[in-house]
Amino acid sequence: MQTHKKPIYWWRVIFSIVYFAIAASIVYFRRYEMFYIEQQVGSYQFDRFLWCLSASCFGFSILVFQLWHHPESTFPSYVTYYPAMLVAVSALVFSISHLFTASSGFVFYYLSFAICFILAFSIDRFWSLIISIVSKGTN
Protein backbone atom coordinates (compact mmCIF):
# COMPACT_ATOMS: atom_id res chain seq x y z
CA MET A 1 0.00 0.00 0.00
CA GLN A 2 1.46 3.32 -1.07
CA THR A 3 1.01 6.51 0.81
CA HIS A 4 1.41 9.65 -1.20
CA LYS A 5 2.60 12.64 0.77
CA LYS A 6 1.53 16.00 -0.52
CA PRO A 7 4.22 18.65 -0.50
CA ILE A 8 3.98 21.44 2.03
CA TYR A 9 4.07 24.93 0.58
CA TRP A 10 6.03 26.83 3.18
CA TRP A 11 4.87 30.27 2.06
CA ARG A 12 1.40 29.37 3.27
CA VAL A 13 2.75 28.22 6.61
CA ILE A 14 4.74 31.44 6.95
CA PHE A 15 1.68 33.57 6.14
CA SER A 16 -0.37 31.57 8.62
CA ILE A 17 2.19 32.35 11.31
CA VAL A 18 2.31 36.03 10.29
CA TYR A 19 -1.47 36.46 10.46
CA PHE A 20 -1.60 34.59 13.78
CA ALA A 21 1.18 36.83 15.14
CA ILE A 22 -0.74 39.93 14.04
CA ALA A 23 -3.86 38.70 15.85
CA ALA A 24 -1.96 37.78 19.00
CA SER A 25 0.03 41.01 19.09
CA ILE A 26 -3.09 43.16 18.71
CA VAL A 27 -4.68 41.46 21.71
CA TYR A 28 -1.47 41.42 23.74
CA PHE A 29 -0.48 45.04 23.24
CA ARG A 30 -4.00 46.48 23.55
CA ARG A 31 -5.38 44.12 26.22
CA TYR A 32 -5.81 46.83 28.86
CA GLU A 33 -7.62 49.26 26.58
CA MET A 34 -9.59 46.68 24.61
CA PHE A 35 -11.95 45.21 27.19
CA TYR A 36 -14.69 47.31 28.76
CA ILE A 37 -18.32 46.52 29.48
CA GLU A 38 -20.05 49.84 28.85
CA GLN A 39 -19.64 51.80 25.66
CA GLN A 40 -17.44 54.82 26.13
CA VAL A 41 -19.43 57.94 25.39
CA GLY A 42 -17.90 60.14 22.70
CA SER A 43 -15.39 57.47 21.70
CA TYR A 44 -14.84 55.88 18.33
CA GLN A 45 -14.13 52.59 20.14
CA PHE A 46 -11.10 51.86 18.02
CA ASP A 47 -9.98 49.14 20.42
CA ARG A 48 -13.15 47.16 19.80
CA PHE A 49 -12.50 47.42 16.08
CA LEU A 50 -9.02 46.04 16.76
CA TRP A 51 -10.69 43.16 18.62
CA CYS A 52 -12.68 42.38 15.48
CA LEU A 53 -9.57 42.69 13.33
CA SER A 54 -7.62 40.30 15.55
CA ALA A 55 -10.46 37.76 15.38
CA SER A 56 -10.48 38.05 11.59
CA CYS A 57 -6.70 37.60 11.39
CA PHE A 58 -6.92 34.58 13.67
CA GLY A 59 -9.63 32.96 11.54
CA PHE A 60 -7.71 33.67 8.35
CA SER A 61 -4.51 32.21 9.81
CA ILE A 62 -6.35 28.96 10.54
CA LEU A 63 -7.69 28.90 6.97
CA VAL A 64 -4.23 29.52 5.49
CA PHE A 65 -2.71 26.83 7.69
CA GLN A 66 -5.38 24.37 6.57
CA LEU A 67 -4.52 25.08 2.92
CA TRP A 68 -0.77 24.48 3.21
CA HIS A 69 -0.88 21.70 0.59
CA HIS A 70 -2.37 23.87 -2.15
CA PRO A 71 0.16 24.87 -4.82
CA GLU A 72 -1.48 28.15 -5.87
CA SER A 73 0.71 31.19 -5.37
CA THR A 74 0.15 33.29 -2.27
CA PHE A 75 1.40 36.48 -3.88
CA PRO A 76 0.14 39.17 -4.19
CA SER A 77 -3.29 38.31 -2.76
CA TYR A 78 -2.03 37.55 0.77
CA VAL A 79 -0.50 41.01 1.09
CA THR A 80 -3.03 43.09 -0.85
CA TYR A 81 -6.47 41.54 -1.31
CA TYR A 82 -6.91 39.51 1.87
CA PRO A 83 -5.75 42.20 4.34
CA ALA A 84 -8.24 44.63 2.77
CA MET A 85 -10.98 42.01 3.00
CA LEU A 86 -10.15 41.30 6.65
CA VAL A 87 -10.40 45.01 7.46
CA ALA A 88 -13.72 45.18 5.60
CA VAL A 89 -15.10 42.14 7.44
CA SER A 90 -13.97 43.57 10.77
CA ALA A 91 -15.50 46.97 10.06
CA LEU A 92 -18.76 45.38 8.95
CA VAL A 93 -19.08 43.23 12.07
CA PHE A 94 -17.99 46.08 14.34
CA SER A 95 -20.53 48.47 12.82
CA ILE A 96 -23.46 46.08 12.80
CA SER A 97 -22.84 44.87 16.34
CA HIS A 98 -22.90 48.46 17.62
CA LEU A 99 -26.25 49.21 15.98
CA PHE A 100 -28.05 47.30 18.73
CA THR A 101 -27.70 48.04 22.43
CA ALA A 102 -27.96 44.35 23.33
CA SER A 103 -24.83 43.52 21.35
CA SER A 104 -22.82 46.60 22.24
CA GLY A 105 -22.14 45.63 25.85
CA PHE A 106 -19.98 42.74 27.01
CA VAL A 107 -21.81 40.37 24.64
CA PHE A 108 -20.00 42.23 21.86
CA TYR A 109 -16.79 40.27 22.52
CA TYR A 110 -18.39 36.84 22.15
CA LEU A 111 -20.55 37.77 19.22
CA SER A 112 -18.00 39.72 17.24
CA PHE A 113 -15.19 37.21 17.72
CA ALA A 114 -17.32 34.33 16.50
CA ILE A 115 -18.70 36.19 13.50
CA CYS A 116 -15.32 37.67 12.47
CA PHE A 117 -13.63 34.29 12.85
CA ILE A 118 -16.24 32.50 10.74
CA LEU A 119 -16.31 35.18 8.05
CA ALA A 120 -12.52 35.26 7.84
CA PHE A 121 -12.35 31.48 7.69
CA SER A 122 -14.79 31.57 4.77
CA ILE A 123 -13.32 34.72 3.21
CA ASP A 124 -13.36 33.30 -0.33
CA ARG A 125 -17.14 32.88 -0.09
CA PHE A 126 -17.71 36.25 1.64
CA TRP A 127 -19.36 38.11 -1.24
CA SER A 128 -21.65 35.23 -2.15
CA LEU A 129 -22.66 34.96 1.51
CA ILE A 130 -23.42 38.69 1.74
CA ILE A 131 -25.42 38.60 -1.51
CA SER A 132 -27.46 35.62 -0.32
CA ILE A 133 -28.23 37.33 3.02
CA VAL A 134 -29.27 40.55 1.31
CA SER A 135 -31.43 38.74 -1.25
CA LYS A 136 -33.19 36.76 1.51
CA GLY A 137 -33.74 39.96 3.47
CA THR A 138 -35.40 41.69 0.54
CA ASN A 139 -37.82 38.83 -0.21
Side-chain angles (χ1 to χ4, degrees):
M1 188 156 95
Q2 281 185 336
T3 58
H4 186 294
K5 284 189 151 185
K6 294 181 180 178
I8 296 173
Y9 294 93
W10 289 103
W11 279 111
R12 290 189 183 269
V13 175
I14 290 169
F15 274 112
S16 174
I17 293 168
V18 166
Y19 279 102
F20 183 81
I22 290 170
S25 64
I26 289 172
V27 173
Y28 179 75
F29 289 116
R30 301 297 293 186
R31 68 186 178 275
Y32 296 118
E33 296 88 6
M34 191 175 288
F35 301 107
Y36 46 89
I37 295 174
E38 298 295 324
Q39 281 189 358
Q40 298 174 348
V41 179
S43 170
Y44 292 113
Q45 300 172 358
F46 184 68
D47 291 311
R48 283 189 169 191
F49 170 72
L50 289 178
W51 170 258
C52 292
L53 185 61
S54 68
S56 295
C57 287
F58 182 63
F60 187 69
S61 73
I62 300 299
L63 172 68
V64 173
F65 187 75
Q66 182 184 20
L67 297 174
W68 67 354
H69 292 296
H70 289 265
E72 292 89 22
S73 176
T74 57
F75 294 107
S77 62
Y78 279 31
V79 292
T80 57
Y81 176 74
Y82 287 115
M85 286 297 295
L86 293 176
V87 169
V89 164
S90 302
L92 180 69
V93 172
F94 171 76
S95 300
I96 290 174
S97 65
H98 279 88
L99 285 176
F100 309 104
T101 56
S103 63
S104 62
F106 197 73
V107 175
F108 165 81
Y109 296 103
Y110 302 109
L111 181 67
S112 63
F113 189 90
I115 294 172
C116 285
F117 182 89
I118 291 168
L119 287 176
F121 189 77
S122 59
I123 196 84
D124 291 325
R125 296 181 303 268
F126 176 73
W127 290 116
S128 61
L129 179 66
I130 294 298
I131 290 169
S132 69
I133 290 172
V134 169
S135 66
K136 286 181 183 178
T138 58
N139 290 336

